[in-house]
Amino acid sequence: MNLIIDIGNSTSKLAIIDDSASVIVKNGKYENPVSPDIIRTFTENHCIKQAILCSVRDVPTEFVEFLKKTFSNFILFSHDTPIPLKNDYATPATLGLDRLAAAIGATVRYPGQHFLIVDFGSAITIDIVSDGAFKGGNISPGASLRFKALHEYTDRLPLCSLPATFNELGTSTRSAIENGVVCSIVHEIAYYITHFRNKYSNLNIIFTGGDGKYFAKKLKKPIFVNCELVIWGLNEVLKHNHAFKEKP
């Protein structure tokens, strides 16, 4: 069994993967920070052979040391970790490790040569993977950041969230904010899909992240939705490094 720890900006995801069957046997989502007690409870009654930690936040040294002592085959995912993907980013040391893991996950989980990966988290990332190489991408504020910005940088606008339904035009201040944020994201992503489909043949569109399913329904285009894309990418990094160590 492999333990995957993905620490995001606001929450952390844990998963245990049975690599022999290529299935997630257990997963969970926790508020940050994740403690050793959470790891002990989560992995109880499971024989963990390998573990990997990916974080977009600074992780306490004590937590990393705990993982090293608890799991003999442990990887702290960094820009120096060998990966099964070419990285064409101009500044590879600044590329978000979650974006890199999602790109690796896409190449493993879906057949094809070209991918447009949209991760709907605190930030929205739009990345292109082509012919086994990470080509680059863009970053914009996620839905929650857009709602918070409208509320916190004005005197009277309320704090809103993603609505179950929305119209083209709001009929109240709240619905105007909700519609404005949703429509801005929908049209933003629709542009990327149209633009890159004209550039890459047979482009696979993959949505991931907390709001991935929500926006996939709004766009109504042929889209794969995999909220565990980063998890599968990190598992592939574990497998790649295990094979890397076994090479003569």
Side-chain angles (χ1 to χ4, degrees):
M1 300 285 184
N2 296 338
L3 172 65
I4 315 298
I5 308 170
D6 172 26
I7 299 179
N9 286 302
S10 56
T11 60
S12 295
K13 296 174 82 173
L14 306 182
I16 295 175
I17 293 181
D18 180 352
D19 212 33
S20 62
S22 191
V23 295
I24 296 176
V25 298
K26 184 178 181 180
N27 57 18
K29 191 174 182 180
Y30 301 87
E31 295 295 325
N32 288 328
V34 177
S35 67
D37 285 342
I38 289 175
I39 299 297
R40 292 189 190 97
T41 302
F42 186 80
T43 58
E44 191 175 13
N45 300 322
H46 293 279
C47 181
I48 305 298
K49 294 184 177 180
Q50 301 180 102
I52 186 169
L53 167 64
C54 173
S55 179
V56 299
R57 300 159 52 99
D58 291 332
V59 180
T61 303
E62 295 81 4
F63 184 65
V64 175
E65 290 302 316
F66 159 75
L67 294 172
K68 287 180 179 178
K69 291 178 182 178
T70 305
F71 308 106
S72 57
N73 294 315
F74 169 73
I75 293 175
L76 176 60
F77 189 37
S78 74
H79 295 99
D80 296 322
T81 305
I83 59 172
L85 183 72
K86 187 170 180 268
N87 188 354
D88 287 342
Y89 213 55
T91 56
T94 69
L95 176 61
L97 293 170
D98 53 339
R99 295 170 65 189
L100 195 55
I104 295 168
T107 61
V108 172
R109 303 301 293 178
Y110 303 97
Q113 294 179 310
H114 313 299
F115 304 91
L116 171 64
I117 305 165
V118 186
D119 190 339
F120 294 89
S122 298
I124 296 173
T125 58
I126 304 98
D127 294 317
I128 290 289
V129 178
S130 178
D131 295 323
F134 184 93
K135 296 299 184 182
N138 294 337
I139 303 173
S140 67
S144 62
L145 281 179
R146 299 184 196 210
F147 286 124
K148 287 178 182 177
L150 287 170
H151 174 63
E152 294 179 6
Y153 290 99
T154 62
D155 288 334
R156 296 184 179 180
L157 294 182
L159 179 61
C160 301
S161 58
L162 290 173
T165 60
F166 75 102
N167 301 308
E168 291 183 349
L169 295 174
T171 55
S172 67
T173 299
R174 181 171 292 276
S175 63
I177 294 171
E178 293 170 346
N179 295 348
V181 168
V182 172
C183 285
S184 68
I185 293 174
V186 166
H187 289 295
E188 177 183 334
I189 303 307
Y191 162 79
Y192 283 113
I193 292 174
T194 300
H195 175 77
F196 285 109
R197 273 190 171 151
N198 289 332
K199 190 171 183 179
Y200 296 98
S201 60
N202 300 317
L203 182 69
N204 285 315
I205 312 297
I206 307 172
F207 282 10
T208 189
D211 295 331
K213 290 181 180 179
Y214 180 92
F215 284 102
K217 293 177 181 177
K218 299 296 182 286
L219 279 149
K220 298 179 181 178
K221 294 178 181 290
I223 295 167
F224 295 110
V225 180
N226 189 331
C227 294
E228 312 298 339
L229 201 61
V230 171
I231 295 294
W232 285 113
L234 292 173
N235 189 64
E236 193 64 21
V237 173
L238 269 178
K239 292 167 59 178
H240 179 76
N241 278 266
H242 181 71
F244 186 79
K245 288 179 182 178
E246 289 190 340
K247 285 184 179 180

